[in-house]
Amino acid sequence: MADYQKQQKLAQLQLLQSQIMPHFLFNTLNLIYGNQESNPDKSKETILLLSDLLRVGLYEAKKNKYSLKEEISFIGNYIKLYQHRYPDMKPVSFNINIDKNDARIVPLILFPLVENAFKHGLERDVANTNISVCITLRNNELQFSINNDFKPYPTPSQSGIGLSNLKERLNITYKNNFKVEINEDDSIYKSTLTLNLS
């Protein structure tokens, strides 16, 4: 029975992970489309960025875990995608402070929070939205936070595949070793994810 339940959980996790890339690809192709007529040269650069992101999504994401540095690189390239699409957007604050270079993490587990902040926050007010990303690792405890100063997110009942998928994946892969906090007021929406990587 234990083996059956394990296999069932693994199949569920694989299904959830397979949903990430189509969702991400749909959103990213919309970004590229927006540049195609106004700046075709920039579209070519954007497609190169996309190809690197797809490499991670199609190959690395199939692994149980990969390097935290790979996850950070993926997020950094995603930020560059948006900078290509919206040259007038404010610079993104991206702070990284990790004490273990070989730390490993479930692939693309941080990304849905980034995607939501950009899609539901930045795209509603590009020129006036600040986004701040912070990744800290201390003694195998990872704290990831992202916030923006425009109230963008849908209510929990309206949240899309990204957030619901994230919560299911966290329950399967990290069980009781994680905490998700969502804080919002009239001007700031902040998401924090804490993970025990040990």
Side-chain angles (χ1 to χ4, degrees):
M1 186 66 177
D3 286 343
Y4 172 76
Q5 289 176 336
K6 186 176 180 181
Q7 290 175 356
Q8 194 175 36
K9 287 290 185 185
L10 180 59
Q12 183 183 0
L13 178 61
Q14 289 172 342
L15 175 62
L16 289 167
Q17 292 192 175
S18 72
Q19 293 172 348
I20 293 173
M21 286 317 294
H23 180 258
F24 158 71
L25 185 57
F26 174 78
N27 290 335
T28 307
L29 287 174
N30 281 336
L31 286 178
I32 294 172
Y33 178 78
N35 265 344
Q36 186 60 46
E37 292 186 5
S38 61
N39 195 336
D41 288 336
K42 181 139 303 188
S43 290
K44 293 176 184 177
E45 296 173 27
T46 306
I47 289 169
L48 288 175
L49 274 173
L50 175 60
S51 68
D52 190 59
L53 292 171
L54 286 176
R55 175 192 60 78
V56 175
L58 294 173
Y59 300 107
E60 301 300 321
K62 292 180 180 178
K63 300 176 180 178
N64 290 333
K65 291 186 178 179
Y66 73 170
S67 166
L68 174 60
K69 286 187 172 183
E70 187 86 60
E71 183 90 347
I72 292 170
S73 176
F74 187 93
I75 292 169
N77 283 337
Y78 187 74
I79 292 171
K80 289 178 186 176
L81 268 180
Y82 265 85
Q83 290 168 334
H84 279 214
R85 174 66 179 92
Y86 301 112
D88 57 338
M89 67 181 268
K90 292 186 175 182
V92 175
S93 173
F94 193 23
N95 297 304
I96 302 162
N97 194 348
I98 60 175
D99 66 356
K100 188 177 180 183
N101 289 325
D102 60 349
R104 298 179 67 76
I105 192 169
V106 171
L108 305 183
I109 203 74
L110 307 178
F111 175 64
L113 296 176
V114 177
E115 188 176 36
N116 275 351
F118 277 74
K119 181 164 180 58
H120 299 293
L122 181 75
E123 288 186 17
R124 295 195 181 186
D125 190 359
V126 171
N128 298 306
T129 299
N130 292 297
I131 291 183
S132 175
V133 181
C134 184
I135 301 174
T136 303
L137 179 65
R138 285 284 175 273
N139 299 319
N140 287 321
E141 182 174 279
L142 178 75
Q143 185 168 79
F144 172 84
S145 65
I146 183 165
N147 64 276
N148 53 279
D149 58 2
F150 183 75
K151 191 174 180 180
Y153 281 44
T155 61
S157 62
Q158 298 171 316
S159 61
I161 189 173
L163 287 179
S164 59
N165 184 308
L166 170 65
K167 290 173 184 176
E168 289 185 65
R169 292 176 68 219
L170 284 167
N171 281 321
I172 292 171
T173 56
Y174 287 99
K175 298 181 181 178
N176 298 320
N177 294 315
F178 76 90
K179 183 178 181 182
V180 179
E181 295 179 282
I182 306 293
N183 297 295
E184 62 179 297
D185 57 29
D186 290 337
S187 61
I188 295 176
Y189 192 100
K190 180 176 182 179
S191 302
T192 303
L193 171 61
T194 304
L195 289 175
N196 186 333
L197 300 185
S198 59

